Amino acid sequence: MSRCRAIGVFGGTFDPVHFGHLRAATEVKEKLGLDDFRLLPAGNPPHRRGTHADGVHRLAMLRLAVADHPDLAVDDREVRRRGASYMVDTLSEMREEAGDCPLLLMVGQDAANQLDKWHRWQDLFTLAHIVIMTRPKASHDYSPTLAAQIDRRRVKQFERLYEQPAGRVAYLEVTQLAISSTEIRRHIAAGRSPRFLLPDRILGYIGYHRLYTGG
Ligand code: ATP
Ligand code: MG
């Protein structure tokens, strides 16, 4: 397969987006040589108890984060759709856009450990490659079924992700930044400053809209 235009998708709640996300996104995009790389905020994630800030705010913060970085794009389809949205549906839509070109879904190790809790999770592998990024405090912790899927599909060279449109799994090391949105929300709720964990501009947005004051 000639090297066609692959699409990389980095999904998350981004509640709020922080330097852990942004640094990982930058490194993954560069290491995989992706021209089309999108950060995709979840609308109303069904596998979690809900988000803290509304999708419109989470989307606005992501847009602020990438405003000066045109190589990172934001895909707003899940937030626009409102209601429950499933990654499997989003990937099905993107598969149409990608044609026979590779589609790559990026997940951190903690999210990868939970992959078999996602709606129609087995279908994710037929729609996209899964790229698992290292994350502090998260080690491999798979159910036996998920472990079997990952082992079977695992490749060590990233080039192999370009040989077919979907179906492979690769691990990618990113700079370890032990930053989480949970920790940032806790700082804010406790009246402490989360500065230097996320861009100042987003901190300004959070303050202006009084987000996360209740945790
Ligand atoms: P929360 O604490 O609310 O769960 P979070 O910091 O984990 O927030 P998410 O929006 O849940 O952020 O994460 C989206 C994706 O980014 C997930 O795949 C997650 O594993 C990954 N990710 C989040 N933070 C980091 C980080 N510091 N380094 C690498 N990957 C990260
Ligand atoms: Mg998380």
Side-chain angles (χ1 to χ4, degrees):
M1 178 177 188
S2 66
R3 196 138 166 156
C4 53
R5 194 177 169 85
I7 302 179
V9 194
F10 186 161
T13 45
F14 302 111
D15 197 10
V17 61
H18 53 67
F19 285 132
H21 299 128
L22 296 166
R23 185 62 212 163
T26 301
E27 292 184 12
V28 169
K29 183 178 187 291
E30 279 177 1
K31 282 188 189 162
L32 299 181
L34 288 163
D35 293 327
D36 187 340
F37 188 88
R38 311 168 185 187
L39 292 152
L40 187 137
N44 182 19
H47 61 285
R48 291 174 51 138
R49 266 180 293 122
T51 55
H52 297 264
D54 186 76
V56 172
H57 285 311
R58 293 181 291 104
L59 176 62
M61 290 188 278
L62 260 180
R63 289 214 165 109
L64 279 178
V66 304
D68 296 334
H69 308 281
D71 55 320
L72 294 176
V74 175
D75 191 311
D76 64 3
R77 74 185 72 203
E78 289 198 2
V79 170
R80 264 192 291 113
R81 198 182 293 143
R82 311 296 293 181
S85 45
Y86 295 104
M87 183 53 85
V88 68
D89 297 327
T90 301
L91 289 182
S92 302
E93 271 181 34
M94 285 191 175
R95 167 49 59 208
E96 307 250 303
E97 289 170 41
D100 289 334
C101 292
L103 188 55
L104 292 85
L105 174 67
M106 322 296 160
V107 290
Q109 183 65 60
D110 60 312
N113 290 341
Q114 301 293 319
L115 214 59
D116 54 345
K117 313 261 185 339
W118 294 21
H119 184 57
R120 290 172 47 205
W121 69 275
Q122 311 255 16
D123 292 343
L124 299 172
F125 292 96
T126 58
L127 290 164
H129 296 302
I130 313 278
V131 177
I132 304 174
M133 306 172 295
T134 48
R135 180 159 189 198
K137 296 187 214 152
S139 48
H140 302 200
D141 185 12
Y142 304 124
S143 70
T145 345
L146 179 56
Q149 280 278 13
I150 291 177
D151 282 352
R152 192 159 68 76
R153 299 173 180 281
R154 166 118 196 249
V155 293
K156 296 214 165 138
Q157 285 142 346
F158 300 131
E159 271 308 308
R160 302 208 46 207
L161 302 176
Y162 290 94
E163 291 171 358
Q164 59 187 56
R168 292 185 169 157
V169 174
Y171 285 91
L172 201 151
E173 301 253 346
V174 293
T175 299
Q176 298 293 277
L177 297 173
I179 303 173
S180 73
S181 303
T182 301
E183 202 58 36
I184 290 172
R185 293 193 301 270
R186 282 197 192 125
H187 283 308
I188 297 169
R192 297 186 303 261
S193 172
R195 70 172 178 259
F196 308 131
L197 297 175
L198 72 175
D200 284 345
R201 229 188 248 177
I202 297 175
L203 212 51
Y205 184 98
I206 290 171
Y208 183 79
H209 294 278
R210 298 184 208 287
L211 303 179
Y212 309 121
T213 49

